[in-house]
Amino acid sequence: MIVESLRGRDLLTLQDLTRDEILGLLRLSAELKKDRRMYSGRLSGRSVAMIFEKPSTRTRISLDVAVAELGAHPIYLRFDELQLGRGETVADTARVLSRYVDLITARVRRHSDLVELARWSDKPVVNALSDLDHPLQTLADLLTIWEKLGRLEGIKIAWIGDGNNVCNSTLIGAAKLGIHVSIACPKGYEPDESYLKMARENALGSGSRIEVTEDPMKAAENADVIMTDTFVSMGMESEREERLRIFIPRYQVSERLFEVAKSNAIFMHPLPAKRGEEVSPEVIDGGRSVVWDQAENRLHTAKAVILSILG
Ligand code: CP
Ligand code: NVA
């Protein structure tokens, strides 16, 4: 069922959604996955702008296919090919685009640009990744965990590595649903302070336990899910050497971490992955890895979000 309460709303972060709205989106995603043609053509005559200031494989294509399968028209817009790239303001771009399209999705370098876009757009805005947050990824991750483990509440996610955008949105989504999160990262690479605070507040209501440690073995202890992401996110290429020196080998996810996790623990990664950096080839290409299902689920969850927002 479409999540009616999301109609016309922005999705910049999962913090803006209730627990029931998140669960509603996951249920709808599961239905859409079972029947790829469900709601086919429902959004006929609508248009969705997709602004990308950074590269993308999964987000761009899953959004494009989701929009097309629902019958709407996806418009891929490279930031540097818009007048935005020549200095037209985000506010002016938002006001113009909202005269043409029904929904704007945007992948931006600065989260504040998304907030500005949403402020000036008359049409809903969806975050397709910012430096702070990646809500569409976390929805797909939650769907994957639910499929693989059969439940969400009470499970434990160990996040190993960089406390980045995906880590932030994982924290928020998990803490809304009563999932425990233990983050192992080097000092100075913790998740954003404001996201930790929001997650801890969410946890008071949901029963989640949120922990930050420097010790990957401690985080992985009894974990149901071990997650990681690149050590060098887009835009941080100049820090690459320093980061690899700090993160490798201690924070690389290898078989050794699974020895202390639950016996049926799974491995997750939003992709793209760098084998031999944040994860060993044995883990990502081994039997515990669910990364391809996770990537597939980007499509079904994107569809659920677009369908619910556009009704
Ligand atoms: N996981 C993810 O967002 O991948 P892309 O950068 O390829 O969109
Ligand atoms: N943290 C990564 C996620 C890519 C999907 C980045 O921002 O580059």
Side-chain angles (χ1 to χ4, degrees), residues 141 144-149 155-156 158 223-227 253 258 261-269 283 287-291 294:
D141 296 355
T144 312
I145 296 172
W146 185 35
E147 286 173 348
K148 300 292 172 189
L149 303 180
I155 67 142
K156 176 181 175 183
D224 298 275
V225 179
I226 296 185
M227 264 189 202
V253 176
F258 284 93
K262 294 249 177 74
S263 57
N264 62 340
I266 56 175
F267 171 73
M268 298 181 72
H269 190 309
V283 167
R288 297 175 176 284
S289 173
V290 299
V291 298
Q294 200 183 343

Side-chain angles (χ1 to χ4, degrees), residues 289-304:
S289 173
V290 299
V291 298
W292 313 117
D293 296 316
Q294 200 183 343
E296 177 189 335
N297 284 340
R298 293 295 310 274
L299 171 65
H300 311 300
T301 45
K303 249 181 171 174

Side-chain angles (χ1 to χ4, degrees), residues 37-86:
R37 296 192 55 78
M38 190 179 184
Y39 294 109
S40 158
R42 170 81 170 231
L43 300 181
S44 157
R46 314 281 200 99
S47 296
V48 176
M50 312 189 306
I51 302 175
F52 280 84
E53 194 179 5
K54 293 175 174 179
S56 170
T57 296
R58 281 139 290 266
T59 308
R60 173 185 175 180
I61 298 166
S62 61
L63 282 170
D64 192 310
V65 173
V67 170
E69 288 189 0
L70 295 172
H73 172 48
I75 310 168
Y76 174 69
L77 300 165
R78 260 179 62 162
F79 191 94
D80 60 352
E81 288 175 359
L82 291 166
Q83 296 288 8
L84 263 175
R86 294 180 55 247

Side-chain angles (χ1 to χ4, degrees), residues 13 25 46 69 72 83 91 98 115 118-119 127 133 138 190 217 223 236 263-264 273 275 301-302 304:
T13 167
L25 284 174
R46 314 281 200 99
E69 288 189 0
Q83 296 288 8
S98 19
V115 175
R119 176 170 168 229
N127 181 357
D133 208 314
T138 296
E190 294 87 359
M217 291 303 258
M236 294 182 174
S263 57
N264 62 340
R275 288 167 176 77
T301 45

Side-chain angles (χ1 to χ4, degrees), residues 154-158 179-180 182 211 218-225:
I155 67 142
K156 176 181 175 183
I157 297 177
I179 296 172
H180 310 305
S182 188
E211 174 186 57
K218 183 168 177 233
E221 220 169 61
N222 271 320
D224 298 275
V225 179

Side-chain angles (χ1 to χ4, degrees), residues 9 55 57-58 72 75 87 91 96 120 124 131 149 156 189 193 197 199 208 216 235 258 276 297:
R9 278 169 54 190
T57 296
R58 281 139 290 266
I75 310 168
V96 171
W120 290 100
D131 54 339
L149 303 180
K156 176 181 175 183
Y189 294 88
E193 199 51 54
K197 186 163 172 276
S208 298
F258 284 93
N297 284 340

